[in-house]
Amino acid sequence: MPNQQRYINEAMNADETEQKILQLAKAIPADERVPSGFAMRVMSHVREIHTRETSQADEQFLRLARNIPANEHVPYAFEKRIMAHVRALLNENPFTIWSRMLWRAVAPCLGVMLLAIVLAFGRGDSNGTEPLATVDPPVEAPDQNAIDFETVLLASFDDLEYTW
Amino acid sequence: MEATAPLADTDLRTDEELITAVVGGEVDSFEELIVRYQPRIFGMARKYFRNESDVEDVVQTIFTKTYQKLGSFNHTAPFEHWFMRLSVNTCYDALRRKSKRHEQAITDVMFENETDDAWHNRLGSIPDPNDQEALDKASELVHTVLGQVSEKARIVLTLQELEGRSIKEIAEITGWSISLVKVQAFRARKEMRAAVERFLSREERL
């Protein structure tokens, strides 16, 4: 405090008063205290401005987009091109349609096949019996087939015997 | 005295009469339907696609689908509604296929050969309808920003914000419920805001 008073006195007495006042001003330490919540207050204001600017940009963009007239220009003879395409659809080769349908059927068929496999194995496990794939089919005696074949082969000759 | 030129050969049949004829086997009547609706369909498709070949492809798909499904049109509502619904759904499918095939970055097309603030100025200025170059640039900007949002958002933004359709109309066209359209509209607006923000922040960095 005495220092400050001395400075003031010197300043008042000196010829270059302005310089002294400036020196005095420099001697006063900066008060850097910040009110509580000041940063938050400023940031909320900044966000508000940002939102307003962005929404203005939205509106500007939409206004621009609305003001572009629809370009309804049609290429020359475009309808002829579509009609040619439609007629090509009408005159499509039946084999092409058939092969397309077959290809479309591939996925469902695979699905059904997988389902059947799962069901077959699932049933085998749940009943405690052997799976279907491992059950042996009934086997006929090999001689019986040979006998049947011979009977069929010689049937016509038997008929001939009767007519003679 | 010179003979007057004959009037253009216009088909005066209504849409419904033409449809009945096409379904009955008179394929040529379909051409009249194409001629009637193709300008509007081209105008609509150009809102969703920038590339002219994409536009032509999608319009061809729309008319081919229309021909194939014409038998399922039951004449209870106007043909125009049924047709617009089919068209928008076809555009949506095409957008989905295209976005899977080709993701375009916002910087790919936007800032080449442009000065720093050219796009920013363009966002704020309405182009002169007679200045084709300005219209093309504005259209490119709109496509670029809308290209950054999802396909659903793009459909909703185009129908609601650009064409001015109501929520109910959008629900009828898309086949979504009214509450779903409301949710999508909210999300679409949010996505668009983010896209515009990205666009502006990118520009500030340049």
Side-chain angles (χ1 to χ4, degrees):
Chain A
M1 199 64 183
N3 276 346
Q4 284 187 0
Q5 191 60 48
R6 189 161 53 86
Y7 282 138
I8 292 168
N9 290 337
E10 284 175 5
M12 293 292 286
N13 295 330
D15 295 333
E16 298 171 343
T17 314
E18 285 181 11
Q19 287 293 326
K20 300 278 180 181
I21 290 170
L22 279 173
Q23 279 176 4
L24 173 66
K26 281 175 190 170
I28 298 169
D31 186 359
E32 294 182 347
R33 284 176 302 161
V34 178
S36 64
F38 185 75
M40 279 174 65
R41 208 188 319 157
V42 172
M43 278 313 293
S44 74
H45 190 58
V46 165
R47 282 195 194 97
E48 198 179 304
I49 292 168
H50 176 73
T51 311
R52 203 186 309 141
E53 280 179 353
T54 313
S55 63
Q56 279 173 357
D58 282 5
E59 291 304 325
Q60 276 185 340
F61 171 74
L62 285 176
R63 200 168 55 239
L64 175 73
R66 283 185 201 119
N67 277 284
I68 298 172
N71 179 2
E72 296 191 343
H73 166 74
V74 178
Y76 177 71
F78 191 78
E79 65 277 7
K80 304 285 177 202
R81 200 194 307 177
I82 304 278
M83 285 310 291
H85 191 69
V86 164
R87 287 198 183 94
L89 283 176
L90 278 176
N91 300 327
E92 209 168 27
N93 186 350
F95 288 108
T96 314
I97 300 168
W98 176 244
S99 69
R100 198 186 304 145
M101 285 167 70
L102 281 179
W103 276 113
R104 280 182 190 168
V106 166
C109 285
L110 280 173
V112 169
M113 192 180 81
L114 286 172
L115 190 70
I117 290 169
V118 169
L119 280 176
F121 278 97
R123 193 189 298 168
D125 290 343
S126 62
N127 293 342
T129 56
E130 288 291 315
L132 288 176
T134 58
V135 175
D136 293 330
V139 181
E140 287 185 12
D143 292 341
Q144 187 59 42
N145 285 337
I147 294 162
D148 289 345
F149 179 71
E150 195 181 340
T151 311
V152 171
L153 194 69
L154 299 175
S156 53
F157 293 103
D158 290 343
D159 290 343
L160 283 174
E161 272 178 24
Y162 289 118
T163 51
W164 279 70
Chain B
M1 190 177 161
E2 211 171 293
T4 51
L7 287 170
D9 185 22
T10 50
D11 199 329
L12 296 174
R13 286 180 289 177
T14 62
D15 287 351
E16 278 68 25
E17 285 169 343
L18 285 170
I19 292 161
T20 310
V22 175
V23 174
E26 199 186 306
V27 186
D28 291 341
S29 297
F30 190 63
E31 190 169 342
E32 178 57 27
L33 278 176
I34 299 173
V35 172
R36 267 181 208 180
Y37 285 98
Q38 61 183 359
R40 206 187 307 175
I41 296 300
F42 265 98
M44 187 202 71
R46 285 193 183 103
K47 285 179 185 163
Y48 296 108
F49 300 95
R50 186 205 319 252
N51 192 334
E52 197 58 24
S53 67
D54 287 339
V55 171
E56 287 184 17
D57 283 350
V58 82
V59 173
Q60 180 169 322
T61 311
I62 287 169
F63 280 112
T64 311
K65 264 190 183 178
T66 306
Y67 176 75
Q68 287 172 326
K69 297 190 173 186
L70 215 50
S72 67
F73 174 63
N74 54 14
H75 297 267
T76 50
F79 169 70
E80 199 182 327
H81 293 183
W82 180 86
F83 183 53
M84 286 313 292
R85 186 174 174 168
L86 186 141
S87 307
V88 170
N89 282 314
T90 307
C91 283
Y92 174 55
D93 291 341
L95 276 175
R96 277 199 309 180
R97 274 199 305 276
K98 193 173 160 57
S99 72
K100 278 180 195 166
R101 208 172 61 222
H102 175 59
E103 293 279 347
Q104 191 171 35
I106 197 162
T107 52
D108 283 359
V109 291
M110 191 176 276
F111 298 101
E112 50 190 35
N113 304 325
E114 285 290 342
T115 55
D116 286 2
D117 57 353
W119 286 97
H120 193 268
N121 292 340
R122 209 158 276 149
L123 191 67
S125 61
I126 305 300
D128 179 5
N130 299 318
D131 185 353
Q132 192 54 47
E133 197 188 335
L135 282 174
D136 289 345
K137 295 269 183 187
S139 177
E140 193 180 352
L141 188 150
V142 170
H143 274 295
T144 307
V145 174
L146 288 181
Q148 302 304 306
V149 304
S150 66
E151 301 83 36
K152 273 186 184 170
R154 187 162 189 174
I155 292 282
V156 172
L157 281 172
T158 307
L159 292 173
Q160 189 182 25
E161 302 289 352
L162 307 190
E163 294 182 6
R165 291 180 189 269
S166 67
I167 297 284
K168 196 180 164 206
E169 280 177 306
I170 297 169
E172 280 169 10
I173 288 172
T174 54
W176 302 336
S177 65
I178 286 181
S179 53
L180 180 62
V181 173
K182 282 181 184 170
V183 170
Q184 289 297 340
F186 177 75
R187 285 184 189 162
R189 198 65 198 244
K190 204 173 161 187
E191 282 187 43
M192 188 200 71
R193 194 169 296 140
V196 172
E197 211 170 317
R198 274 203 301 276
F199 160 66
L200 290 176
S201 63
R202 167 71 193 168
E203 189 188 60
E204 278 160 13
R205 264 184 268 134
L206 282 176

